Amino acid sequence: NIFGYLFHALQIFAAEVLCGIYLKRRNHFWLRAVCAFVLFLSLSVAFGLLFEKIFIYFRYLISFPISFLCFAFCYEGSFWDDLFCCTAAIAIQNLAYSVSIMTVGILGAESLTMNFRYVALECVIYVSVHVLCFFLGVRKLKNESGDFGKERFVMTLTSLIFTVIVYILQHDRQELGTEDFLQWRLMFIAYDAVTLVMLF
């Protein structure tokens, strides 16, 4: 479980770095980023383990508010700009995860199988999804001057609500042996794609 929380946090961190690439950085950015990285990973694991015992459906979702605070600590943006980027990041992370777990599942392996072929395949999938999302969506933020999140606050809040729902739904639908595994995974992929289209 600890490895799972770390891996999930790393995915979110990578997606948020991608979404914040054009944002104005705060002073001493790299020092802030290192501190935020360590704090984010530590708190994600700690709260994940805590929520396992008290509210298991939120054990991964709890990373989102933590990541939002760390994101705001590193970038100079309005509340809505930060929320937009973090919401887009969690959709990108979930899209990459869903494509990855579906692909290795079709090949007959569990996600995070410690097999070089599957690990390499998952890495390729994650990088490919992030590159695709950058060129189709994130790079549009390059020409934004600020407060772009406020202009899209309805879509941001809608996307955030659906993300919470999908995270909860995913909890009981991860097993490869279930008959509807593929259908659910395709639905989650479709959700993430629609969410990113709405946002960007």
Side-chain angles (χ1 to χ4, degrees), residues 35-92:
C35 293
F37 178 75
V38 174
L39 185 64
F40 175 50
L41 262 61
S42 302
L43 291 179
S44 294
V45 172
F47 278 101
L49 293 172
L50 175 65
F51 273 60
E52 271 187 7
K53 296 178 173 57
I54 61 176
F55 201 7
I56 197 168
Y57 287 95
F58 275 71
R59 59 184 178 147
Y60 285 105
L61 194 58
I62 190 63
S63 292
F64 180 78
I66 300 171
S67 71
F68 174 78
L69 294 175
C70 291
F71 189 89
F73 177 70
C74 295
Y75 295 97
E76 284 187 10
S78 68
F79 170 85
W80 289 109
D81 289 353
D82 292 344
L83 188 63
F84 174 91
C85 289
C86 289
T87 302
I90 202 170
I92 292 171

Side-chain angles (χ1 to χ4, degrees), residues 1 7-9 13 17 31 33 35 41 66 73 80 139 164 169 172 180:
N1 283 341
F7 189 59
H8 177 256
F13 189 85
V17 169
L31 178 60
C35 293
L41 262 61
I66 300 171
F73 177 70
W80 289 109
R139 70 173 180 170
V164 172
L169 285 174
D172 294 322
D180 57 357

Side-chain angles (χ1 to χ4, degrees), residues 57-58 61 64 83 86-88 90-95 98 153-171 184 187-199:
Y57 287 95
F58 275 71
L61 194 58
F64 180 78
L83 188 63
C86 289
T87 302
I90 202 170
I92 292 171
Q93 178 274 324
N94 203 57
L95 176 63
S98 292
F153 78 94
V154 174
M155 291 296 100
T156 301
L157 292 179
T158 302
S159 300
L160 188 56
I161 291 169
F162 282 132
T163 297
V164 172
I165 294 172
V166 166
Y167 257 70
I168 294 173
L169 285 174
Q170 282 186 132
H171 182 270
W184 275 107
M187 188 276 284
F188 294 142
I189 291 172
Y191 151 77
D192 293 316
V194 169
T195 296
L196 291 168
V197 168
M198 285 195 305
L199 288 172

Side-chain angles (χ1 to χ4, degrees), residues 115-171:
N115 177 294
F116 176 77
R117 289 180 301 169
Y118 293 122
V119 171
L121 177 60
E122 288 186 314
C123 289
V124 169
I125 290 172
Y126 274 99
V127 171
S128 299
V129 170
H130 282 70
V131 169
L132 185 65
C133 289
F134 172 78
F135 283 107
L136 294 182
V138 175
R139 70 173 180 170
K140 294 181 179 180
L141 299 180
K142 184 177 182 179
N143 299 321
E144 297 288 351
S145 57
D147 279 339
F148 57 85
K150 190 173 184 179
E151 297 172 358
R152 301 172 171 90
F153 78 94
V154 174
M155 291 296 100
T156 301
L157 292 179
T158 302
S159 300
L160 188 56
I161 291 169
F162 282 132
T163 297
V164 172
I165 294 172
V166 166
Y167 257 70
I168 294 173
L169 285 174
Q170 282 186 132
H171 182 270

